[in-house]
Amino acid sequence: MSIVKETLLHLLRRKWKLILVVGLFGTALVATTYAYDVAGIIEAQNAALEAMGDGPVPMSQEEAEERGEALARGMVVRALFAVLSFFFSLGIVLVGMLMPSGVVANERSSGAIMLWAQHPMPLNRFYLHRYAGIQLANLTAQALFGVAAVLAVLPAGEFPATETGVFVRICLLGAVACAVSFATTALGIRRAAFLALAYYAASSLAATIITVGTQFGATGTAKMILDALPFVIFPEAAIGDFVNGFESGVAWDWKATGMVLYHFALWTGIAWLGLIRIERKPLRL
């Protein structure tokens, strides 16, 4: 059995519980969107809030009570949807980050790497084959999450407009998260998933800073920093722009396409360099 296939089957056997938990959040999200018209509730709430902002509207006490109850129910449903969406989205990234399981760093620390060093295949190529199996297992799980997201009736404006866009976005998020985590462990850093998660959180903060800075028209050094940040942070915004191209009538964003490919190449290159370094000195002395 090939290294890729063996790694794929091994990870699916080990990680099925994690995949199941995230899948349950996805299933709950689907059930919520079918049980309640979440998109309609959000739209009605926004319209009601706008009407209230324009000033008091004459209505009877009974109409006021009905509107209040409808708004209260809507807030509960909206909060439930937000919680499920958050944990489902976070789970997608976590599965990608936990798939490598610190494989290189842990085996180097325990000395098990010396078993693989005796393999006729060079050590760096051996681990790259395992990485291919890891990504296949990861994408298998992400595809299941993508199907769940496609089945859900998601509100317009908060998610890609097309089903293809929703599916591809989830697969890309999980694939990049896996690439970041594997590159981290290939550098010999243990608990790579936690470091990758910290990187993801910091990237979300940096993306907010980019948005605010762009809105306020940053200039000079600040603008140069904001322009450079997308090349080093997790490319969630670029993935969103990339999948928008699947919508009919929307021009393909080649800049976003290049940014997504750049990040895959960047983290694969970092992993390869880390493996070359470890191949020269497999054990940490």
Side-chain angles (χ1 to χ4, degrees):
M1 186 178 293
S2 70
I3 298 171
V4 175
K5 185 176 180 181
E6 178 61 32
T7 303
L8 168 65
L9 296 177
H10 173 69
L11 280 176
L12 291 178
R13 286 194 299 267
R14 286 194 59 199
K15 302 295 184 180
W16 69 269
K17 292 181 181 178
L18 174 62
I19 296 170
L20 177 62
V21 170
V22 180
L24 288 175
F25 277 109
T27 303
L29 193 65
V30 173
T32 300
T33 59
Y34 275 92
Y36 305 98
D37 182 12
V38 177
I41 288 171
I42 292 176
E43 185 178 347
Q45 275 195 329
N46 292 338
L49 291 173
E50 287 179 8
M52 291 171 64
D54 294 335
V57 179
M59 64 179 67
S60 65
Q61 183 176 355
E62 183 178 349
E63 289 176 334
E65 290 177 354
E66 288 179 357
R67 172 175 285 192
E69 291 177 0
L71 285 173
R73 285 196 301 270
M75 288 297 292
V76 172
V77 173
R78 194 168 183 172
L80 175 62
F81 175 79
V83 169
L84 292 175
S85 295
F86 172 77
F87 282 108
F88 182 57
S89 300
L90 181 61
I92 289 167
V93 175
L94 277 176
V95 167
M97 290 178 175
L98 290 172
M99 275 292 178
S101 300
V103 55
V104 181
N106 290 347
E107 291 179 357
R108 185 188 187 201
S109 178
S110 66
I113 195 171
M114 295 308 296
L115 296 175
W116 312 131
Q118 298 174 35
H119 197 279
M121 182 183 295
L123 195 61
N124 70 85
R125 196 186 306 171
F126 173 80
Y127 273 112
L128 286 176
H129 276 69
R130 290 182 69 181
Y131 172 58
I134 290 169
Q135 273 290 21
L136 281 176
N138 176 46
L139 288 174
T140 300
Q142 302 300 341
L144 295 175
F145 304 152
V147 170
V150 167
L151 292 175
V153 184
L154 302 172
E158 299 185 25
F159 298 90
T162 63
E163 293 179 348
T164 303
V166 171
F167 183 85
V168 172
R169 179 177 180 272
I170 287 175
C171 290
L172 285 177
L173 283 173
V176 175
C178 183
V180 172
S181 185
F182 181 77
T184 306
T185 188
L187 291 173
I189 301 172
R190 299 187 66 186
R191 297 178 177 84
F194 293 102
L195 187 59
L197 184 59
Y199 164 72
Y200 177 75
S203 297
S204 298
L205 178 60
T208 303
I209 294 173
I210 292 172
T211 301
V212 173
T214 303
Q215 289 175 347
F216 282 91
T219 57
T221 304
K223 187 177 186 304
M224 291 177 59
I225 294 173
L226 293 179
D227 290 342
L229 277 176
F231 291 91
V232 295
I233 66 174
F234 192 90
E236 189 164 8
I239 291 172
D241 293 337
F242 171 78
V243 300
N244 285 336
F246 292 104
E247 186 177 353
S248 177
V250 176
W252 191 263
D253 194 333
W254 291 105
K255 181 181 178 181
T257 304
M259 187 62 72
V260 172
L261 292 175
Y262 159 79
H263 277 276
F264 272 116
L266 172 67
W267 292 107
T268 301
I270 291 173
W272 181 75
L273 290 174
L275 291 174
I276 290 292
R277 183 179 67 87
I278 287 176
E279 186 177 42
R280 294 171 181 165
K281 188 178 179 183
L283 291 180
R284 191 190 303 271
L285 300 176

